[in-house]
Amino acid sequence: MFDYLIVGAGFAGSVLAERLARGLNKKVLICDRRNHIGGNAYDCHDAAGILIHRYGPHIFHTNSWDIFSYLSRFTEWRQYQHRVRACVDGRLLPIPINLDTVNELYGLQLDPQGMKEYLASVAEKKSEILTSEDVVISTVGRDLYEKFFRHYTRKQWALDPSELDAQVTARVPVRFNRDDRYFTDKYQAMPARGFTHMFGNMLDHPNIKVLLNCDYREIADDVAYGSLIFTGPVDQYFDYCYGELPYRCLEFKHETHHKPVFQSAPVVNYPNEYAYTRCTEFKYLTGQEHAATSIVYEFPCAEGDPYYPIPRPDNAALNKKYQALAEDTPNVHFVGRLATYRYYNMDQVVGQALTLFSKISGATRTQATEAALA
Ligand code: FAD
Ligand code: UDP
Protein backbone atom coordinates (compact mmCIF):
# COMPACT_ATOMS: atom_id res chain seq x y z
CA MET A 1 0.00 0.00 0.00
CA PHE A 2 1.43 3.37 -1.05
CA ASP A 3 0.29 6.69 0.33
CA TYR A 4 0.99 8.35 -3.01
CA LEU A 5 1.29 7.28 -6.62
CA ILE A 6 3.26 9.96 -8.48
CA VAL A 7 3.07 10.02 -12.27
CA GLY A 8 6.23 11.47 -13.83
CA ALA A 9 9.77 11.56 -12.42
CA GLY A 10 10.71 15.05 -13.63
CA PHE A 11 11.15 18.06 -11.32
CA ALA A 12 7.49 18.21 -10.26
CA GLY A 13 7.21 14.51 -9.41
CA SER A 14 10.67 14.13 -7.87
CA VAL A 15 10.38 17.15 -5.56
CA LEU A 16 7.04 15.86 -4.27
CA ALA A 17 8.32 12.31 -3.86
CA GLU A 18 11.31 13.58 -1.89
CA ARG A 19 9.25 15.90 0.33
CA LEU A 20 6.48 13.39 1.04
CA ALA A 21 8.96 10.61 1.85
CA ARG A 22 11.49 12.58 3.88
CA GLY A 23 9.22 15.30 5.24
CA LEU A 24 6.05 13.34 6.05
CA ASN A 25 7.35 9.77 6.11
CA LYS A 26 4.87 8.78 3.37
CA LYS A 27 5.30 5.75 1.15
CA VAL A 28 5.60 6.79 -2.46
CA LEU A 29 5.54 4.98 -5.79
CA ILE A 30 6.81 7.21 -8.60
CA CYS A 31 6.50 5.96 -12.16
CA ASP A 32 7.57 7.32 -15.52
CA ARG A 33 6.84 5.99 -18.94
CA ARG A 34 10.38 6.85 -20.01
CA ASN A 35 13.32 4.60 -19.12
CA HIS A 36 14.94 7.19 -16.84
CA ILE A 37 14.28 9.70 -14.07
CA GLY A 38 14.69 13.48 -14.49
CA GLY A 39 11.95 14.19 -17.06
CA ASN A 40 13.06 16.68 -19.68
CA ALA A 41 16.04 17.70 -17.55
CA TYR A 42 17.57 14.23 -17.93
CA ASP A 43 21.27 14.15 -18.81
CA CYS A 44 23.59 11.23 -19.53
CA HIS A 45 26.97 10.40 -21.02
CA ASP A 46 26.89 9.68 -24.75
CA ALA A 47 28.93 7.03 -26.57
CA ALA A 48 31.97 9.32 -26.52
CA GLY A 49 31.66 9.83 -22.76
CA ILE A 50 30.44 13.43 -23.02
CA LEU A 51 27.69 14.60 -20.66
CA ILE A 52 24.73 15.65 -22.82
CA HIS A 53 21.13 16.76 -22.21
CA ARG A 54 18.97 14.36 -24.19
CA TYR A 55 16.04 16.77 -24.43
CA GLY A 56 17.88 19.98 -25.23
CA PRO A 57 19.93 22.43 -23.17
CA HIS A 58 18.86 22.89 -19.54
CA ILE A 59 20.44 25.73 -17.61
CA PHE A 60 19.41 26.26 -14.03
CA HIS A 61 18.67 29.84 -13.01
CA THR A 62 16.54 31.37 -10.29
CA ASN A 63 16.16 34.42 -8.10
CA SER A 64 14.77 32.32 -5.28
CA TRP A 65 17.13 31.54 -2.43
CA ASP A 66 14.63 28.94 -1.14
CA ILE A 67 14.57 26.98 -4.36
CA PHE A 68 18.31 27.14 -4.87
CA SER A 69 18.95 26.10 -1.25
CA TYR A 70 16.47 23.25 -1.47
CA LEU A 71 18.12 21.77 -4.58
CA SER A 72 21.54 22.34 -3.03
CA ARG A 73 20.70 19.55 -0.60
CA PHE A 74 21.02 17.12 -3.48
CA THR A 75 23.87 18.50 -5.53
CA GLU A 76 26.97 20.62 -5.58
CA TRP A 77 27.04 23.24 -8.27
CA ARG A 78 29.25 24.52 -11.03
CA GLN A 79 28.81 28.26 -11.42
CA TYR A 80 27.78 28.94 -15.00
CA GLN A 81 26.62 32.09 -16.78
CA HIS A 82 24.88 31.20 -20.02
CA ARG A 83 25.61 33.05 -23.25
CA VAL A 84 23.88 32.82 -26.63
CA ARG A 85 24.72 34.19 -30.07
CA ALA A 86 22.24 34.63 -32.91
CA CYS A 87 23.30 34.01 -36.48
CA VAL A 88 22.13 37.16 -38.29
CA ASP A 89 23.33 38.44 -41.66
CA GLY A 90 26.18 35.94 -41.54
CA ARG A 91 27.44 37.15 -38.15
CA LEU A 92 27.13 35.76 -34.64
CA LEU A 93 25.64 38.56 -32.54
CA PRO A 94 24.73 38.65 -28.84
CA ILE A 95 21.13 37.80 -27.95
CA PRO A 96 19.39 39.21 -25.81
CA ILE A 97 19.88 42.30 -27.93
CA ASN A 98 22.35 44.59 -26.16
CA LEU A 99 24.56 47.56 -26.96
CA ASP A 100 27.09 45.41 -28.83
CA THR A 101 24.35 43.73 -30.88
CA VAL A 102 23.11 47.05 -32.21
CA ASN A 103 26.56 48.53 -32.75
CA GLU A 104 27.93 45.46 -34.54
CA LEU A 105 24.83 44.94 -36.68
CA TYR A 106 24.54 48.53 -37.89
CA GLY A 107 28.21 49.57 -37.68
CA LEU A 108 27.42 52.17 -35.02
CA GLN A 109 29.29 53.33 -31.92
CA LEU A 110 26.39 54.15 -29.66
CA ASP A 111 26.69 54.46 -25.91
CA PRO A 112 23.81 53.29 -23.66
CA GLN A 113 22.00 56.63 -23.94
CA GLY A 114 22.54 56.61 -27.72
CA MET A 115 21.04 53.11 -27.91
CA LYS A 116 17.99 54.24 -25.93
CA GLU A 117 17.48 57.14 -28.31
CA TYR A 118 18.05 54.94 -31.34
CA LEU A 119 15.56 52.30 -30.23
CA ALA A 120 13.04 54.98 -29.27
CA SER A 121 13.29 56.30 -32.84
CA VAL A 122 12.60 52.89 -34.44
CA ALA A 123 10.20 51.36 -31.86
CA GLU A 124 6.52 51.44 -32.78
CA LYS A 125 4.15 52.66 -30.08
CA LYS A 126 1.37 50.23 -29.16
CA SER A 127 -1.60 51.20 -27.04
CA GLU A 128 -1.71 47.69 -25.58
CA ILE A 129 0.93 44.96 -25.44
CA LEU A 130 -1.01 41.77 -26.10
CA THR A 131 1.09 39.61 -28.39
CA SER A 132 4.68 38.51 -28.81
CA GLU A 133 4.91 40.79 -31.84
CA ASP A 134 3.76 43.81 -29.79
CA VAL A 135 6.44 43.21 -27.15
CA VAL A 136 9.32 43.21 -29.58
CA ILE A 137 8.16 45.85 -32.05
CA SER A 138 7.33 48.28 -29.26
CA THR A 139 10.83 47.97 -27.78
CA VAL A 140 13.24 47.45 -30.69
CA GLY A 141 11.26 48.22 -33.84
CA ARG A 142 10.59 46.24 -36.99
CA ASP A 143 14.07 45.59 -38.37
CA LEU A 144 15.46 43.94 -35.23
CA TYR A 145 12.13 42.11 -34.86
CA GLU A 146 12.46 40.67 -38.36
CA LYS A 147 16.13 39.79 -37.95
CA PHE A 148 16.08 38.23 -34.48
CA PHE A 149 12.51 37.24 -33.55
CA ARG A 150 10.03 36.76 -36.35
CA HIS A 151 11.52 33.77 -38.13
CA TYR A 152 12.80 32.03 -35.01
CA THR A 153 9.35 32.32 -33.44
CA ARG A 154 7.50 31.13 -36.55
CA LYS A 155 9.81 28.13 -36.72
CA GLN A 156 9.64 27.34 -32.98
CA TRP A 157 5.88 27.62 -32.64
CA ALA A 158 4.51 27.33 -36.21
CA LEU A 159 2.71 30.55 -35.38
CA ASP A 160 3.40 34.17 -36.15
CA PRO A 161 4.47 36.20 -33.07
CA SER A 162 1.23 38.14 -33.50
CA GLU A 163 -0.64 34.90 -32.64
CA LEU A 164 1.27 34.20 -29.41
CA ASP A 165 0.87 35.73 -25.95
CA ALA A 166 3.31 38.48 -25.02
CA GLN A 167 4.97 36.27 -22.38
CA VAL A 168 6.74 34.17 -25.04
CA THR A 169 9.12 36.74 -26.54
CA ALA A 170 9.05 38.75 -23.30
CA ARG A 171 11.30 36.00 -21.91
CA VAL A 172 14.11 37.60 -23.91
CA PRO A 173 14.83 41.14 -22.64
CA VAL A 174 16.65 44.08 -24.27
CA ARG A 175 19.73 45.48 -22.55
CA PHE A 176 21.20 48.94 -22.92
CA ASN A 177 24.59 47.83 -21.63
CA ARG A 178 27.13 45.23 -22.76
CA ASP A 179 25.91 42.44 -20.47
CA ASP A 180 25.70 39.47 -22.86
CA ARG A 181 24.45 36.88 -20.38
CA TYR A 182 21.22 35.12 -21.35
CA PHE A 183 19.92 35.30 -17.78
CA THR A 184 20.56 37.80 -15.00
CA ASP A 185 19.11 35.74 -12.12
CA LYS A 186 20.91 35.80 -8.82
CA TYR A 187 21.62 32.06 -8.87
CA GLN A 188 22.85 30.53 -12.12
CA ALA A 189 24.54 27.17 -11.96
CA MET A 190 24.67 23.63 -13.27
CA PRO A 191 24.55 20.55 -11.02
CA ALA A 192 28.23 19.61 -10.70
CA ARG A 193 27.63 15.94 -11.57
CA GLY A 194 24.62 16.54 -13.79
CA PHE A 195 20.85 16.74 -13.35
CA THR A 196 20.28 12.98 -13.32
CA HIS A 197 22.73 12.56 -10.47
CA MET A 198 20.85 15.23 -8.53
CA PHE A 199 17.51 13.48 -9.20
CA GLY A 200 19.07 10.20 -8.07
CA ASN A 201 19.93 11.80 -4.72
CA MET A 202 16.41 13.21 -4.36
CA LEU A 203 14.79 9.85 -4.94
CA ASP A 204 17.24 7.83 -2.86
CA HIS A 205 15.04 7.07 0.14
CA PRO A 206 13.67 3.78 1.52
CA ASN A 207 10.10 5.13 1.27
CA ILE A 208 10.40 5.84 -2.47
CA LYS A 209 9.99 3.15 -5.11
CA VAL A 210 10.77 4.14 -8.69
CA LEU A 211 9.12 2.32 -11.59
CA LEU A 212 10.42 3.15 -15.08
CA ASN A 213 9.14 2.20 -18.55
CA CYS A 214 5.71 2.37 -17.01
CA ASP A 215 2.68 4.38 -18.06
CA TYR A 216 0.60 4.84 -14.92
CA ARG A 217 -2.48 3.61 -16.79
CA GLU A 218 -0.87 0.15 -16.89
CA ILE A 219 -0.71 -0.06 -13.08
CA ALA A 220 -3.22 2.37 -11.61
CA ASP A 221 -5.90 -0.30 -11.16
CA ASP A 222 -3.52 -2.84 -9.67
CA VAL A 223 -1.63 -0.72 -7.16
CA ALA A 224 -3.16 0.32 -3.86
CA TYR A 225 -2.51 4.00 -3.14
CA GLY A 226 -4.11 6.84 -1.23
CA SER A 227 -3.69 9.85 -3.53
CA LEU A 228 -2.38 10.49 -7.02
CA ILE A 229 0.01 13.24 -8.06
CA PHE A 230 -0.10 13.74 -11.80
CA THR A 231 2.62 15.62 -13.72
CA GLY A 232 1.82 14.47 -17.28
CA PRO A 233 -0.36 16.34 -19.80
CA VAL A 234 -3.63 17.36 -18.14
CA ASP A 235 -5.73 16.68 -21.25
CA GLN A 236 -4.35 13.13 -21.40
CA TYR A 237 -5.48 12.50 -17.81
CA PHE A 238 -9.04 13.44 -18.71
CA ASP A 239 -9.02 11.41 -21.94
CA TYR A 240 -9.15 14.58 -24.03
CA CYS A 241 -12.78 15.08 -23.03
CA TYR A 242 -12.73 18.74 -24.11
CA GLY A 243 -10.39 18.11 -27.04
CA GLU A 244 -6.60 18.12 -27.25
CA LEU A 245 -4.51 20.89 -25.76
CA PRO A 246 -1.86 21.81 -28.32
CA TYR A 247 1.78 21.26 -27.33
CA ARG A 248 4.80 22.06 -29.46
CA CYS A 249 7.16 19.15 -30.03
CA LEU A 250 10.85 18.90 -30.81
CA GLU A 251 13.16 16.49 -32.55
CA PHE A 252 16.75 16.43 -31.36
CA LYS A 253 19.70 15.68 -33.59
CA HIS A 254 22.72 14.81 -31.44
CA GLU A 255 26.20 14.72 -32.98
CA THR A 256 29.74 14.19 -31.72
CA HIS A 257 32.61 15.91 -33.50
CA HIS A 258 36.19 14.80 -33.17
CA LYS A 259 37.65 18.16 -32.32
CA PRO A 260 37.75 19.99 -29.01
CA VAL A 261 35.48 22.92 -29.95
CA PHE A 262 32.59 23.04 -32.45
CA GLN A 263 31.22 26.59 -32.20
CA SER A 264 32.23 29.86 -30.55
CA ALA A 265 29.32 30.06 -28.09
CA PRO A 266 27.41 27.60 -25.84
CA VAL A 267 24.26 28.10 -27.93
CA VAL A 268 23.87 29.57 -31.40
CA ASN A 269 20.33 30.58 -32.40
CA TYR A 270 19.25 30.51 -36.03
CA PRO A 271 16.50 33.09 -36.60
CA ASN A 272 16.43 32.25 -40.30
CA GLU A 273 15.06 29.69 -42.75
CA TYR A 274 17.09 26.72 -41.43
CA ALA A 275 14.90 23.90 -40.13
CA TYR A 276 16.50 23.99 -36.67
CA THR A 277 16.16 26.79 -34.15
CA ARG A 278 19.40 26.44 -32.22
CA CYS A 279 22.57 24.42 -31.73
CA THR A 280 24.02 23.73 -28.28
CA GLU A 281 27.55 22.58 -27.47
CA PHE A 282 27.36 20.82 -24.13
CA LYS A 283 30.92 21.14 -22.87
CA TYR A 284 30.39 24.88 -22.37
CA LEU A 285 27.49 24.12 -20.03
CA THR A 286 29.09 21.31 -18.10
CA GLY A 287 32.73 22.41 -18.10
CA GLN A 288 33.77 18.89 -19.08
CA GLU A 289 37.17 18.50 -20.67
CA HIS A 290 37.32 16.06 -23.58
CA ALA A 291 39.17 15.82 -26.88
CA ALA A 292 35.84 15.51 -28.73
CA THR A 293 32.69 17.60 -28.41
CA SER A 294 28.95 16.85 -28.57
CA ILE A 295 26.22 19.14 -29.85
CA VAL A 296 22.48 19.06 -30.40
CA TYR A 297 20.25 20.71 -32.98
CA GLU A 298 16.59 21.32 -32.11
CA PHE A 299 13.97 20.86 -34.83
CA PRO A 300 10.48 22.03 -33.80
CA CYS A 301 7.64 19.85 -35.06
CA ALA A 302 3.92 19.20 -34.67
CA GLU A 303 3.94 15.54 -33.62
CA GLY A 304 5.81 13.76 -30.83
CA ASP A 305 6.37 14.14 -27.10
CA PRO A 306 4.81 17.32 -25.68
CA TYR A 307 7.56 19.81 -24.78
CA TYR A 308 6.00 23.26 -24.82
CA PRO A 309 2.50 24.40 -23.87
CA ILE A 310 1.57 27.01 -26.48
CA PRO A 311 0.64 30.30 -24.79
CA ARG A 312 -2.26 31.87 -26.67
CA PRO A 313 -5.76 32.87 -25.61
CA ASP A 314 -7.77 29.96 -27.05
CA ASN A 315 -5.41 27.43 -25.45
CA ALA A 316 -5.64 29.24 -22.11
CA ALA A 317 -9.45 29.04 -22.33
CA LEU A 318 -9.33 25.30 -23.04
CA ASN A 319 -6.80 24.77 -20.23
CA LYS A 320 -9.09 26.66 -17.85
CA LYS A 321 -11.77 24.04 -18.48
CA TYR A 322 -9.32 21.23 -17.75
CA GLN A 323 -8.02 22.98 -14.62
CA ALA A 324 -11.60 23.35 -13.36
CA LEU A 325 -12.04 19.61 -13.86
CA ALA A 326 -8.73 19.04 -12.06
CA GLU A 327 -9.93 21.11 -9.08
CA ASP A 328 -13.03 18.94 -8.88
CA THR A 329 -11.14 15.65 -8.95
CA PRO A 330 -10.73 14.43 -5.38
CA ASN A 331 -7.46 12.82 -4.28
CA VAL A 332 -5.59 13.86 -7.42
CA HIS A 333 -3.10 16.76 -7.52
CA PHE A 334 -1.97 18.26 -10.81
CA VAL A 335 1.46 19.88 -10.85
CA GLY A 336 4.22 20.73 -13.32
CA ARG A 337 4.60 22.21 -16.76
CA LEU A 338 2.34 19.76 -18.59
CA ALA A 339 -0.31 19.20 -15.91
CA THR A 340 -0.88 22.92 -15.36
CA TYR A 341 -0.13 23.82 -19.01
CA ARG A 342 2.29 26.59 -18.12
CA TYR A 343 5.46 27.65 -19.92
CA TYR A 344 7.49 27.21 -16.72
CA ASN A 345 11.23 27.02 -16.18
CA MET A 346 12.70 24.38 -13.87
CA ASP A 347 12.83 26.67 -10.83
CA GLN A 348 9.18 27.64 -11.28
CA VAL A 349 8.20 23.97 -11.34
CA VAL A 350 10.21 23.32 -8.18
CA GLY A 351 8.44 26.31 -6.57
CA GLN A 352 5.05 25.02 -7.69
CA ALA A 353 5.82 21.55 -6.27
CA LEU A 354 7.02 22.98 -2.93
CA THR A 355 3.82 25.05 -2.71
CA LEU A 356 1.69 21.97 -3.34
CA PHE A 357 3.67 20.12 -0.69
CA SER A 358 3.00 22.88 1.85
CA LYS A 359 -0.74 22.58 1.09
CA ILE A 360 -0.67 18.79 1.49
CA SER A 361 1.27 19.03 4.74
CA GLY A 362 -0.96 21.79 6.13
CA ALA A 363 2.03 24.06 6.69
CA THR A 364 2.63 27.51 5.26
CA ARG A 365 5.05 27.67 2.37
CA THR A 366 7.63 29.29 4.68
CA GLN A 367 7.25 26.56 7.30
CA ALA A 368 7.42 23.89 4.61
CA THR A 369 10.57 25.43 3.14
CA GLU A 370 12.21 25.70 6.56
CA ALA A 371 11.44 22.02 7.14
CA ALA A 372 12.84 21.10 3.72
CA LEU A 373 16.08 22.90 4.49
CA ALA A 374 16.43 21.63 8.06
P1 FAD B 1 8.67 16.90 -17.23
O1 FAD B 1 10.13 17.09 -17.05
O2 FAD B 1 8.10 16.93 -18.61
O3 FAD B 1 8.27 15.53 -16.51
C1 FAD B 1 7.02 14.92 -16.70
C2 FAD B 1 7.25 13.42 -16.78
O4 FAD B 1 5.98 12.75 -16.78
C3 FAD B 1 7.97 12.98 -18.04
O5 FAD B 1 9.20 12.35 -17.74
C4 FAD B 1 7.00 12.02 -18.72
O6 FAD B 1 7.63 10.91 -19.35
C5 FAD B 1 6.12 11.59 -17.56
N1 FAD B 1 4.78 11.15 -17.96
C6 FAD B 1 3.86 11.83 -18.71
N2 FAD B 1 2.75 11.09 -18.87
C7 FAD B 1 2.98 9.93 -18.21
C8 FAD B 1 2.19 8.76 -18.01
N3 FAD B 1 0.98 8.63 -18.55
N4 FAD B 1 2.71 7.75 -17.26
C9 FAD B 1 3.97 7.84 -16.74
N5 FAD B 1 4.74 8.93 -16.91
C10 FAD B 1 4.26 9.96 -17.63
N6 FAD B 1 13.98 25.23 -17.87
C11 FAD B 1 14.96 25.96 -17.29
O7 FAD B 1 14.80 26.39 -16.13
N7 FAD B 1 16.13 26.24 -17.95
C12 FAD B 1 16.37 25.80 -19.21
O8 FAD B 1 17.44 26.06 -19.78
C13 FAD B 1 15.36 25.02 -19.85
N8 FAD B 1 15.55 24.57 -21.10
C14 FAD B 1 14.58 23.81 -21.69
C15 FAD B 1 14.82 23.34 -22.98
C16 FAD B 1 13.86 22.56 -23.61
C17 FAD B 1 14.13 22.06 -25.00
C18 FAD B 1 12.63 22.26 -22.95
C19 FAD B 1 11.58 21.44 -23.63
C20 FAD B 1 12.39 22.74 -21.67
C21 FAD B 1 13.36 23.52 -21.02
N9 FAD B 1 13.18 23.98 -19.73
C22 FAD B 1 14.15 24.75 -19.12
C23 FAD B 1 11.93 23.69 -18.98
C24 FAD B 1 12.09 22.44 -18.11
O9 FAD B 1 12.31 21.32 -18.94
C25 FAD B 1 10.78 22.24 -17.32
O10 FAD B 1 10.44 23.37 -16.57
C26 FAD B 1 10.86 21.05 -16.36
O11 FAD B 1 11.63 20.00 -16.81
C27 FAD B 1 9.42 20.60 -16.11
O12 FAD B 1 9.39 19.55 -15.17
P2 FAD B 1 8.04 18.71 -15.00
O13 FAD B 1 8.29 17.73 -13.93
O14 FAD B 1 6.88 19.62 -14.88
O15 FAD B 1 7.82 17.98 -16.42
N1 UDP C 1 13.13 34.02 -29.44
C1 UDP C 1 13.41 34.48 -30.70
N2 UDP C 1 14.71 34.57 -31.09
C2 UDP C 1 15.74 34.21 -30.30
C3 UDP C 1 15.45 33.72 -29.01
C4 UDP C 1 14.14 33.62 -28.61
O1 UDP C 1 12.52 34.80 -31.46
O2 UDP C 1 16.91 34.30 -30.72
C5 UDP C 1 11.72 33.92 -29.02
C6 UDP C 1 11.08 32.61 -29.48
O3 UDP C 1 9.71 32.82 -29.70
C7 UDP C 1 11.30 31.72 -28.29
C8 UDP C 1 11.02 32.70 -27.14
O4 UDP C 1 11.61 33.94 -27.61
O5 UDP C 1 10.42 30.62 -28.30
C9 UDP C 1 11.60 32.32 -25.81
O6 UDP C 1 12.99 32.08 -25.94
P1 UDP C 1 13.77 31.12 -24.92
O7 UDP C 1 15.20 31.13 -25.31
O8 UDP C 1 13.40 31.51 -23.55
O9 UDP C 1 13.11 29.71 -25.29
P2 UDP C 1 13.25 28.26 -24.61
O10 UDP C 1 14.65 28.16 -24.04
O11 UDP C 1 12.16 28.16 -23.59
O12 UDP C 1 13.04 27.34 -25.77
Side-chain angles (χ1 to χ4, degrees), residues 95 148-149 152-153 156-157 168-169 171-172 182 269 278 308 343:
I95 176 92
F148 287 85
F149 286 91
Y152 187 107
T153 300
Q156 169 71 14
W157 301 96
V168 176
T169 53
R171 288 166 62 89
V172 184
Y182 206 65
N269 284 357
R278 60 187 174 190
Y308 291 87
Y343 188 1

Side-chain angles (χ1 to χ4, degrees), residues 11-12 32-33 40 57-59 215-216 236 337 344 346:
F11 268 100
D32 203 299
R33 62 183 173 193
N40 286 339
H58 279 71
I59 295 103
D215 191 305
Y216 82 103
Q236 176 210 98
R337 178 153 144 147
Y344 270 175
M346 295 182 279

